[in-house]
């Protein structure tokens, strides 16, 4: 029977998790403090340790170090809240098997434990540490679509999971840089067409004169410059998914052709009399209000309804502040790989600056800033001196970032957060970047009752 040690200071949660795992026929021990866990590790051998990244007397990294000293075959799974993703990634680099973000469902923890147990018998700790940056971290980070933990992200993920298995056309809306193509790609990868092509097209980058040829192809000699047959985007995506970004930039003439192709599931290359049957799913994206364009006569209403069988709004980064470090670490690993660097993480003052900034360029801006910082950084940690001045000295509305400490509007911020969280204190605490105990003390201090 595999032996598991849970290191968690939340007694109720720890007890619940212990009961659940015992029902799955695991032998489970618990420790509520880091030093208590270290003593048990010295006295007994465990197959898997589930350790919270933050403990009252130390942190999960310290527990991890002690495990590595006493038993290199024990696999450590770090449990982390939304704000400690940076620490969890560092833990993986130091030899942890994996990390899971709270709250997690039972299936997730079981799958992770099973993987860890398999890893115990097949992978040596020393080899695993060498593989971390290209294996375990990539399971979480090097994917086209990073799942956030904020309420806005959870809703987005639910919509993606809901519509992906269907044949419905999807309209993805959102500000520039929010990751609309990532969402489209995620829908494709979760669909029944995942093994077929995903063809992404920037409608704003196609000259009007060759748009028909780009979409539907052409045959040799059909016009000046057509020296060879050309396969268009529709035919290239046959059997798979065609993603049309910035759909509002299409000319009216091409809108007519697109509607016909979608309705009849047939295309005719320029200069050809032969129709080609196509089976594609269409996902489109825009940062414009297409319904307004329809009212203004700039976009065909029938095409709009044909494309908008299901719509998904991608929230801006400022509404997903709980996901900020998840994305930042994702871009950090990408940048390390591309630039052949080994930057470990971000200094606390950089994290604070990131949280105070409103990110008008959304994920695209964050990606560029992190990549630039990795390039300039000469240290293991990214520091303020490598950030652009417009971010370091940005003066933002405190309400937008809910930065509570050293803020003269604490009471107002708390009330605002509680209102947005519909009275949910745990959610409000996350928005304020504080723990629940601190929030309760603040509520008592300002005599706020719900």
């Amino acid at each position: 029977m595999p032996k598991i040690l849970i290191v968690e200071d939340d007694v109720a949660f720890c007890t619940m998790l212990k009961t659940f795992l015992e029902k799955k026929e695991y032998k489970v021990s618990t420790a509520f403090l880091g030093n208590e866990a270290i003593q048990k590790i010295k006295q007994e051998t465990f197959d898997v340790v589930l350790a919270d990244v933050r403990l009252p007397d130390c942190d999960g990294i310290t527990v991890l170090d002690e495990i590595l000293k006493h038993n290199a075959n024990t696999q450590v799974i770090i449990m982390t809240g939304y704000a400690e993703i940076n620490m969890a990634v560092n833990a993986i680099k130091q030899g942890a098997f994996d990390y899971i973000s709270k709250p997690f469902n039972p299936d997730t923890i079981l799958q992770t434990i099973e993987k860890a147990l398999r890893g115990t018998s097949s992978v040596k700790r020393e080899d695993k540490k060498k593989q971390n940056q290209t294996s375990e971290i990539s399971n979480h980070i090097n994917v086209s679509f990073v799942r956030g933990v904020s309420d806005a992200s959870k809703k987005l993920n639910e919509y993606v999971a809901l519509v992906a298995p269907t044949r419905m056309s999807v309209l993805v809306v959102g500000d520039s840089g929010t990751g609309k193509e990532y969402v489209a790609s995620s829908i494709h990868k979760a669909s029944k067409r995942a093994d077929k092509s995903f063809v992404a097209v920037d409608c704003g980058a196609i000259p009007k004169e060759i748009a028909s040829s780009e979409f539907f192809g052409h045959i040799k000699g059909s016009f000046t410059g057509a020296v060879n047959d050309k396969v268009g985007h529709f035919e290239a995506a046959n059997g798979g998914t065609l993603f049309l970004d910035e759909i509002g930039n299409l000319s009216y003439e091409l809108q007519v052709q697109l509607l016909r192709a979608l309705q009849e599931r047939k295309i005719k290359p320029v200069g050809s009399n032969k129709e080609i049957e196509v089976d594609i799913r269409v996902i489109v994206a825009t940062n414009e209000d297409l319904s307004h364009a329809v009212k203004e006569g700039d976009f065909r209403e029938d095409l709009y309804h044909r494309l908008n069988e299901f719509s998904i709004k991608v929230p801006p980064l400022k509404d997903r502040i709980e996901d900020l470090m998840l994305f930042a670490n994702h871009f950090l690993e990408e940048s390390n790989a591309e630039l052949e660097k080994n930057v470990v993480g971000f200094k606390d003052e950089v994290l604070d600056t990131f949280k105070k900034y409103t990110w008008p360029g959304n994920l695209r801006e964050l990606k560029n800033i992190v990549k630039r910082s990795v390039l300039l950084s000469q240290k293991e940690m990214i520091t303020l001196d490598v950030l652009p001045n417009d971010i370091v000295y940005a003066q933002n509305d405190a309400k937008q970032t809910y930065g509570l400490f050293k803020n003269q509007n604490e009471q107002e911020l708390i009330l605002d957060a509680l209102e947005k969280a519909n009275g949910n204190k745990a959610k409000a605490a996350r928005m304020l970047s504080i723990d629940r105990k601190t929030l309760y003390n603040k509520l008592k201090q300002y005599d706020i009752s719900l």
Side-chain angles (χ1 to χ4, degrees):
M1 181 182 294
K3 295 169 65 176
I4 296 176
L5 173 63
I6 302 173
V7 190
E8 168 64 68
D9 64 317
D10 186 330
V11 178
F13 175 75
C14 186
T15 304
M16 179 186 68
L17 185 55
K18 178 177 185 289
T19 303
F20 170 74
L21 292 176
E22 285 178 337
K23 289 181 179 179
K24 299 299 179 180
E25 300 184 348
Y26 291 108
K27 184 177 180 180
V28 183
S29 299
T30 60
F32 305 127
L33 297 172
N35 288 324
E36 179 186 357
I38 291 170
Q39 290 302 315
K40 290 192 175 186
I41 290 164
K42 292 178 179 178
Q43 298 167 4
E44 192 175 354
T45 299
F46 296 94
D47 298 292
V48 176
V49 175
L50 300 172
D52 193 358
V53 76
R54 288 194 184 277
L55 298 164
D57 56 342
C58 62
D59 57 39
I61 308 297
T62 303
V63 175
L64 171 63
D65 290 340
E66 290 297 324
I67 292 171
L68 297 183
K69 291 177 184 177
H70 290 88
N71 193 337
N73 288 324
T74 299
Q75 301 287 18
V76 182
I77 300 171
I78 296 295
M79 300 183 293
T80 175
Y82 73 94
E84 294 91 21
I85 297 295
N86 197 40
M87 291 180 66
V89 173
N90 290 339
I92 289 180
K93 290 181 177 180
Q94 294 181 37
F97 176 81
D98 206 342
Y99 76 83
I100 50 176
S101 299
K102 297 178 183 177
F104 47 78
N105 62 51
D107 289 338
T108 300
I109 188 63
L110 278 178
Q111 290 172 6
T112 307
I113 290 173
E114 288 169 2
K115 288 179 182 177
L117 289 171
R118 290 196 296 270
T120 300
S121 59
S122 61
V123 183
K124 292 183 178 179
R125 175 71 67 179
E126 291 78 9
D127 294 335
K128 185 170 183 53
K129 289 184 73 173
K130 294 177 183 178
Q131 297 168 358
N132 275 332
Q133 290 186 9
T134 57
S135 58
E136 293 304 328
I137 292 175
S138 67
N139 289 338
H140 287 278
I141 296 176
N142 291 329
V143 292
S144 63
F145 182 62
V146 180
R147 292 181 178 276
V149 295
S150 66
D151 287 348
S153 290
K154 288 178 182 176
K155 184 176 181 180
L156 173 63
N157 297 338
E158 288 172 1
Y159 278 4
V160 168
L162 182 66
V163 76
T166 73
R167 296 174 57 89
M168 298 174 72
S169 298
V170 182
L171 172 63
V172 183
V173 297
D175 296 342
S176 180
T178 50
K180 297 186 288 295
E181 183 172 344
Y182 291 138
V183 172
S185 177
S186 180
I187 293 172
H188 170 74
K189 289 177 180 177
S191 74
K192 298 174 183 178
R193 299 170 179 263
D195 60 337
K196 303 296 183 180
S197 299
F198 176 81
V199 178
V201 182
D202 184 353
C203 297
I206 302 176
K208 180 180 178 180
E209 296 76 16
I210 62 171
S212 295
S213 171
E214 289 294 310
F215 278 100
F216 309 115
H218 64 248
I219 61 173
K220 180 180 178 180
S222 56
F223 55 87
T224 303
V227 295
N228 293 298
D229 291 351
K230 177 182 174 62
V231 174
H233 297 311
F234 267 76
E235 191 174 355
N238 197 9
T241 303
L242 180 63
F243 172 61
L244 305 178
D245 197 10
E246 302 306 338
I247 188 70
N249 289 322
L250 288 183
S251 67
Y252 196 85
E253 179 184 355
L254 197 60
Q255 290 177 36
V256 175
Q257 296 175 8
L258 179 60
L259 177 62
R260 179 179 177 276
L262 294 176
Q263 288 177 335
E264 299 183 8
R265 300 289 174 177
K266 295 179 181 178
I267 61 168
K268 185 184 292 185
V270 177
S272 174
N273 293 320
K274 181 182 178 181
E275 288 188 327
I276 301 173
E277 292 189 3
V278 289
D279 172 25
I280 62 168
R281 181 185 193 173
V282 175
I283 302 176
V284 300
T286 182
N287 58 10
E288 302 177 22
D289 184 351
L290 276 189
S291 61
H292 178 73
V294 169
K295 292 177 183 178
E296 295 294 315
D298 296 325
F299 200 86
R300 288 183 64 99
E301 184 174 7
D302 46 5
L303 178 59
Y304 171 72
H305 291 301
R306 178 66 184 79
L307 298 173
N308 189 24
E309 291 181 332
F310 189 87
S311 64
I312 294 178
K313 179 172 176 57
V314 185
L317 186 55
K318 66 181 180 180
D319 291 344
R320 311 167 71 179
I321 205 67
E322 294 163 78
D323 303 326
L324 180 62
M325 291 319 302
L326 187 64
F327 286 111
N329 279 299
H330 164 68
F331 297 136
L332 176 66
E333 295 303 323
E334 276 192 345
S335 301
N336 274 332
E338 183 178 344
L339 301 173
E340 298 182 351
K341 303 264 290 191
N342 191 29
V343 178
V344 174
F346 305 86
K347 283 284 191 179
D348 288 343
E349 59 264 28
V350 173
L351 303 184
D352 292 339
T353 300
F354 278 2
K355 290 175 183 177
K356 292 175 183 177
Y357 188 57
T358 54
W359 299 105
N362 294 293
L363 291 176
R364 184 181 294 121
E365 183 180 12
L366 176 61
K367 180 178 182 178
N368 292 341
I369 293 301
V370 171
K371 186 175 181 179
R372 175 186 185 275
S373 299
V374 169
L375 178 64
L376 294 175
S377 183
Q378 301 298 317
K379 304 173 183 177
E380 283 193 341
M381 304 289 284
I382 291 177
T383 54
L384 279 179
D385 60 308
V386 298
L387 296 183
N389 289 336
D390 56 345
I391 290 182
V392 175
Y393 300 113
Q395 297 297 317
N396 299 297
D397 183 355
K399 288 184 181 180
Q400 288 185 309
T401 58
Y402 297 101
L404 197 60
F405 301 107
K406 298 181 182 179
N407 197 299
Q408 296 179 347
N409 301 316
E410 273 193 353
Q411 184 174 355
E412 187 178 351
L413 288 173
I414 292 170
L415 291 171
D416 192 24
L418 286 168
E419 181 181 353
K420 289 183 179 296
N422 295 319
N424 186 319
K425 295 186 182 69
K427 180 179 175 182
R430 291 197 300 270
M431 295 173 68
L432 293 162
S433 298
I434 59 176
D435 56 37
R436 279 178 291 179
K437 184 177 180 180
T438 302
L439 177 59
Y440 291 144
N441 289 338
K442 293 291 183 182
L443 293 177
K444 185 177 180 180
Q445 175 185 340
Y446 293 114
D447 195 24
I448 299 174
S449 58
L450 296 177

